[in-house]
Amino acid sequence: MSDSVENLLARQPSRSLRERDPARRATAIEAIFDRDCLFSDPRGQHVGHRALDDAVSPSRHSSGPRVFADRQR
């Protein structure tokens, strides 16, 4: 396995959501999450890769950095 950015981010889903580069974040989301993934936050539920990417995009959050935690099953 190569140590490409995508592979490194894929090892840590919460880190991939904090990725600031839009192309790398979208690639990591597609590699890690199911096509019909569900992300919930105070603004509502976001279904799918594009909705997840839009919801976690740093440009949408003027109140400072967000914290993501990996949920253990």
Side-chain angles (χ1 to χ4, degrees), residues 15-38:
R15 183 173 176 201
S16 70
L17 296 178
R18 292 189 305 264
E19 172 61 51
R20 298 193 66 72
D21 179 85
R24 290 194 303 186
R25 185 179 57 251
T27 298
I29 286 172
E30 289 179 13
I32 297 169
F33 298 95
D34 290 333
R35 174 173 267 152
D36 61 349
C37 63
L38 172 65

Side-chain angles (χ1 to χ4, degrees), residues 23-72:
R24 290 194 303 186
R25 185 179 57 251
T27 298
I29 286 172
E30 289 179 13
I32 297 169
F33 298 95
D34 290 333
R35 174 173 267 152
D36 61 349
C37 63
L38 172 65
F39 176 76
S40 297
D41 68 8
R43 292 172 296 159
Q45 294 186 335
H46 314 276
V47 179
H49 292 155
R50 179 65 185 255
L52 172 57
D53 189 32
D54 289 345
V56 300
S57 173
S59 65
R60 291 196 40 145
H61 307 289
S62 60
S63 61
R66 299 181 74 180
V67 176
F68 298 99
D70 297 328
R71 181 177 167 186
Q72 300 297 320

